[in-house]
Amino acid sequence: MRYISLILFFLIFLGKSYGQIGFPYCETFDGTSTQEATVFGGNARLIDGVLRLTENQTSQRGYVYIDIPFPSVFGIKASFEYFSYGGDVLRRADGLSFFLFDADVPVFSAGGFGGSLGYAQRGSDPGLSRAYIGIGFDEFGNFGNTSENKVGGFPGVGTDLVPDAIVIRGPGNGNAGYGFLVGRKTMTTGNDGLNPGGQFPISSGGPGSQRVIDPNQPGYRKVFLELQPKPDKTGYFVTLRMMVTTTLNQPRMVTIFDRPYDFPAPKNLKIGFAASTGGFTNYHEIRNLLVEVSNDEALQDPIGVDFDEKASCEGQENTYFITDEEVVLPNENSVIRCLQFYASLADIEEESEDVCSQAKCREENRVLELPQGTFKAGDVGGDFTFFPNPGFTDQKVTVYYTLTDSYGKSSSGNSMTLLIKDSPEPISLRLTGTNESPNEVIKLCKGEKISLSGVGEEDYFRFEWYQNDVLIEGADQNFFLVSEPGEYQVIGLNRKNCPAKSNKVTVEFPEVPSVSISNPIVGCTPGQSVDVTEAISGFDLGSFDYLLKGIGKEYRNEELKKVSNTGVYDLFVKFKDLECYNEPSRLEVVILDKVLVAEFDFVVEGTDIKGEEQGGIFPDDPIQFTDLSDPRAVKWEWDFGDGGSSNLKNPIHVFGKKGEFEVELLITDQYGCTQTVVKTVAITRSYRVMFPTGFTPLDVLNQTFFPKFKGLAELEFMIFNNWGELLFRTDELTSEGWDGKLNGELLNAGFYFYKFNGVSIDGERVTESGKFKLIR
């Protein structure tokens, strides 16, 4: 006996799925929305009962494709109406294309627009992704030539325009392929044209023309395309016919192509359209798209099977799945598209003659309400549910169903009988040995285990335990010892094999996020504690507990804000609702044992001058600064108070102007602790005059008497004896001074007197006098 898969609570369907699979596909575009699988973009939009791909504007581009796979093995047949009208120049506005492409392409990407009509490459723009065939209805004339980097064209035309042409281009991907195969010029006769009398323009009309929807009116266009499989499976035989009306009340059929297309097709194909305008304009629209199987005669109806006395449990929704293997699907590459339910065989209606009504999973047949309960078909495939009504325990319910495959073929009808059984009392999870209900989420420490039990008001016959919706083999007791993370549930089954499912509990073994610490943590003030929490990234007392251990001390949570001892510690972190800490992180605390001291001194370079007492400091004197700070300093930052600075330990600085300058030294030790000291450097003198106390005219050195000075613009220097007689005078700034002689003769040893008058460079007058000694 064949059987049906009963999945009581969990339906697992692996593999790629689509909202609809296969034939037929009908899209009228006559409403405000389309089917879910109809995808359009660019300038395409629904309007007035059609899908408008381009507006009557320049540089328009629009596309649409059906995002479901159509099996290619039995061929494809498609028909649609198109409307091309309203252009600013008669019959010239690029055009539209119909195309097929590999259904397994990961991402749809239209080809180049303009003259490539959204199919072929255009310059550096790639063509349609994994294209199989493209048919262009070319108004302007660029789809059938080699312009814009296209491969091949009508013989002998090169890049010249070939307007009013229908062209087939072959497979391609990226910037390779899409080669010209064949074309027909619809306004001419001959080898590349149509038979005499068959001519028609691609577009319905020029300026002021309207959409033509009546087949009896001039300008009407409808396309019939069929790709019949070749017996050797090397491609298709392509037939393209069009219904065109150029004379009132005289629609006619014109055969455009009837020829082989020698390219093997992918397993599944998708269908699409594109249109574009360039410097000229036209409306481009389509409607009433129908996609069918070409070789319908080769298809067979699927065969269902009768299912008998499968279990169904009262008071709960029971889920089932009829697999492709349980029924007969005779058509190659076909799968179950849908199920439909009926109360009796007599209710299974004959298929409608309207192909767009065939093979549809009608909503009215997807839900069936019977006195015993409600059957509901799933969205796709062979899944369905049954919810028994109360009061039918131990009774049977029979329903009739049809299945439809991906080619639109339906089975004749079969029965399934379900036995409604009594459901057990509810079951719930408890912590083993207690009546305590666990939290929805249980957190455990690594290596811990927890025992869960299924408890209810029922003498359950057996139990099934599930982890992440997967049955745990061998777990058939009312308790289970959990040692791994996951979502757990128990199902208790009574003697009639009806289940009661428990609540779900998630067990986690959380890991504390890694802690980043800024080491070391330094206290620069001796005897003052440090706040360790400031150095812990993501410190969060709302979620975690913290423990700091080291040098015989422990600090917890808030206590970490006042750590008062230098040392190396281990930092432990745990979740607040757990008792296990993570692996520790090393943390070092350094608190200085004595205050960092900053100090410096300064003198005029090469002298002992540091102020007025030593003769004063001049603006252009180089000042030597000497660091006298704590030896723990490793970094020095000088601010000279005049905008100047230095990072040298012992810098030299020239202030260049008079004034009092606050010089600051900032020192830093290896831990980043800092200290500063500020001293005032007074630049008070713009000049200096220094007189020796004697000289020795007979020695090699010190043979003349003359003051040393700086910053003077003028001077007068005079020497006198004890009686006030003038012995020497000069006003030269570069004078060598008095050599101890008068009229060429060296005077006697003894004391002499000088008088000095000068003017500094900033105009200050200088007067000095004194005595000195001539030594012989």
Side-chain angles (χ1 to χ4, degrees), residues 254-312:
V254 179
T255 298
I256 310 298
F257 301 116
D258 199 6
R259 55 165 291 136
Y261 184 77
D262 297 324
F263 297 95
K267 179 180 178 181
N268 294 297
L269 292 166
K270 291 181 182 178
I271 188 173
F273 297 82
S276 57
T277 66
F280 299 100
T281 66
N282 238 5
Y283 291 110
H284 293 100
E285 301 165 343
I286 60 172
R287 75 170 187 176
N288 290 333
L289 170 64
L290 169 61
V291 184
E292 306 174 73
V293 174
S294 172
N295 190 13
D296 186 72
E297 295 79 8
L299 295 173
Q300 303 176 50
D301 290 335
I303 301 173
V305 294
D306 295 332
F307 298 102
D308 187 35
E309 293 193 13
K310 298 309 296 181
S312 176

Side-chain angles (χ1 to χ4, degrees), residues 157-275:
V157 303
T159 60
D160 293 343
L161 296 177
V162 187
D164 288 311
I166 300 176
V167 172
I168 298 180
R169 286 188 174 272
N173 190 47
N175 292 99
Y178 315 95
F180 176 94
L181 298 180
V182 66
R184 290 285 181 266
K185 303 172 185 176
T186 64
M187 290 297 288
T188 67
T189 60
N191 291 335
D192 293 331
L194 301 177
N195 293 329
Q199 285 66 44
F200 66 92
I202 299 297
S203 179
S204 298
S209 59
Q210 301 296 316
R211 180 189 309 132
V212 179
I213 62 175
D214 185 351
N216 292 308
Q217 295 294 320
Y220 180 78
R221 306 285 185 267
K222 185 170 183 177
V223 177
F224 300 87
L225 173 66
E226 186 166 5
L227 282 74
Q228 299 175 339
K230 293 172 65 178
D232 59 4
K233 298 185 178 181
T234 58
Y236 296 105
F237 198 87
V238 177
T239 300
L240 177 65
R241 297 180 300 143
M242 289 183 62
M243 178 184 288
V244 300
T245 306
T246 56
T247 303
L248 183 64
N249 294 325
Q250 295 185 27
R252 54 196 170 90
M253 294 297 294
V254 179
T255 298
I256 310 298
F257 301 116
D258 199 6
R259 55 165 291 136
Y261 184 77
D262 297 324
F263 297 95
K267 179 180 178 181
N268 294 297
L269 292 166
K270 291 181 182 178
I271 188 173
F273 297 82

Side-chain angles (χ1 to χ4, degrees), residues 89-112:
V89 179
L90 184 62
R91 297 193 298 274
R92 295 169 69 87
D94 284 339
L96 63 90
S97 67
F98 167 92
F99 50 76
L100 297 170
F101 61 98
D102 188 347
D104 288 333
V105 65
V107 179
F108 171 83
S109 178

Side-chain angles (χ1 to χ4, degrees), residues 331-362:
N331 301 316
E332 186 176 350
N333 294 334
S334 66
V335 295
I336 297 176
R337 180 195 289 183
C338 64
L339 301 177
Q340 299 185 85
F341 293 110
Y342 305 89
S344 68
L345 284 173
D347 292 337
I348 300 178
E349 302 173 347
E350 294 292 330
E351 289 289 347
S352 168
E353 291 300 320
D354 178 7
V355 70
C356 285
S357 295
Q358 296 176 19
K360 280 193 173 180
C361 300
R362 300 184 185 91

Side-chain angles (χ1 to χ4, degrees), residues 101-146:
F101 61 98
D102 188 347
D104 288 333
V105 65
V107 179
F108 171 83
S109 178
F113 283 90
S116 297
L117 302 184
Y119 181 76
Q121 68 271 67
R122 183 189 186 201
S124 60
D125 294 336
L128 173 70
S129 49
R130 285 162 69 170
Y132 177 64
I133 186 172
I135 302 176
F137 299 83
D138 190 8
E139 301 156 10
F140 189 71
N142 270 327
F143 196 68
N145 63 23
T146 59

Side-chain angles (χ1 to χ4, degrees), residues 65 102 124 162 206 265 279 319 334 370 393 415 452 458 661 669 685 772:
Y65 68 97
D102 188 347
S124 60
V162 187
T319 300
S334 66
L370 298 175
T393 301
S415 68
L452 299 176
E458 178 85 17
F661 301 93
D669 70 2
R685 304 292 294 271
F772 64 95

Side-chain angles (χ1 to χ4, degrees), residues 439 441-445 510 543-545 574-580:
N439 296 327
V441 177
I442 299 174
K443 295 180 179 179
L444 298 177
C445 295
S543 303
F544 304 102
D545 284 328
K574 73 175 183 67
F575 287 99
K576 279 196 172 293
D577 52 358
L578 293 178
E579 295 304 320
C580 47

Side-chain angles (χ1 to χ4, degrees), residues 617-623 653-659 683-687 710 761:
I617 302 174
F618 288 78
D620 58 350
D621 281 343
I623 310 300
H653 184 68
V654 176
F655 288 90
K657 58 184 177 181
K658 292 171 64 176
I683 311 297
T684 58
R685 304 292 294 271
S686 59
Y687 71 92
K710 191 175 186 178
I761 56 178

